[in-house]
Amino acid sequence: IEELEKVIEDTKKEIEEAIKANDGITSDKVTSDDKAAIEESIKDIDELLADTNVSDAQKEALEEAKKEAQDLLDKIEEDQKVLEDANNSIPSVDNDSVTEDDLDDLAASKDKLEDIINSDNYTEEEKNAAQDALDKIEELEKVMEKSKIEGEEAVGANDGITTDKVTSDDKAAI
């Protein structure tokens, strides 16, 4: 009987530990760093659910803990997809090839990256990568702005010069 009581007590402790394994991890703060621990907790819960020494009430509590853990994994997966989409939405342009047509795509990518940087659902490494991408976009926007200003200045440089009034002094300006 003592042995049976010990088995019951050990099983009870294992169930309590499995149920509490993800305490403190919430959907608004879960990151990819939590993924392995959550997956391990689901594995432990599955093992306990297969145990014949588990009561119906304990199984119900384990199933609820498993559902909560799976919801956390789903949130991680959803956030990783957002991160991937943000990275994929950045036009593959550089300072020499960016055009005004790219500005809308850059702005959309910029918004997604800012959301990632300001979220608690990403690791510092992921946020730093998003910040690097954001810095690149801002640099491309500056290149476009500079190019636009230079283009306007170039167009304005020829103001007042017409075909009937052009002189050899106007050659450099043209």
Side-chain angles (χ1 to χ4, degrees):
I1 290 183
E2 286 179 27
E3 224 175 279
L4 184 57
E5 287 176 343
K6 181 171 176 11
V7 168
I8 291 171
E9 190 61 34
D10 288 348
T11 301
K12 185 178 176 183
K13 283 181 184 176
E14 289 177 28
I15 291 170
E16 288 172 3
E17 288 173 10
I19 290 172
K20 292 180 180 179
N22 296 316
D23 280 0
I25 302 174
T26 60
S27 63
D28 61 334
K29 297 215 185 265
V30 68
T31 71
S32 59
D33 282 348
D34 300 315
K35 186 176 182 177
I38 295 169
E39 289 173 337
E40 184 66 28
S41 74
I42 290 175
K43 182 179 154 236
D44 293 344
I45 290 170
D46 285 339
E47 289 173 5
L48 287 166
L49 286 170
D51 192 334
T52 56
N53 295 324
V54 177
S55 71
D56 289 342
Q58 290 170 323
K59 283 184 180 182
E60 190 175 310
L62 286 167
E63 288 289 351
E64 180 61 29
K66 182 178 177 179
K67 181 190 176 308
E68 290 172 6
Q70 186 59 54
D71 288 346
L72 292 171
L73 285 179
D74 292 345
K75 177 66 174 154
I76 291 170
E77 186 176 318
E78 175 187 322
D79 290 339
Q80 292 303 302
K81 183 168 178 6
V82 169
L83 183 62
E84 184 180 319
D85 289 348
N87 286 326
N88 290 338
S89 70
I90 300 170
S92 57
V93 295
D94 58 26
N95 291 357
D96 297 327
S97 64
V98 66
T99 67
E100 200 163 333
D101 293 339
D102 298 317
L103 290 178
D104 287 341
D105 291 338
L106 291 172
S109 297
K110 188 175 176 180
D111 290 343
K112 290 177 186 178
L113 292 167
E114 287 171 342
D115 289 345
I116 289 167
I117 292 166
N118 295 322
S119 172
D120 289 331
N121 293 109
Y122 297 94
T123 64
E124 285 305 310
E125 184 178 318
E126 292 165 336
K127 287 181 179 187
N128 289 338
Q131 184 63 55
D132 290 346
L134 183 62
D135 292 345
K136 178 185 175 191
I137 288 172
E138 289 172 347
E139 180 183 333
L140 292 169
E141 289 176 331
K142 286 177 186 174
V143 166
M144 279 306 307
E145 184 61 30
K146 181 180 176 190
S147 176
K148 185 176 176 183
I149 290 169
E150 288 173 354
E152 289 171 357
E153 287 174 354
V155 169
N158 294 327
D159 285 352
I161 301 174
T162 60
T163 54
D164 60 334
K165 295 182 181 178
V166 69
T167 68
S168 61
D169 292 339
D170 296 325
K171 184 177 182 179
I174 297 173

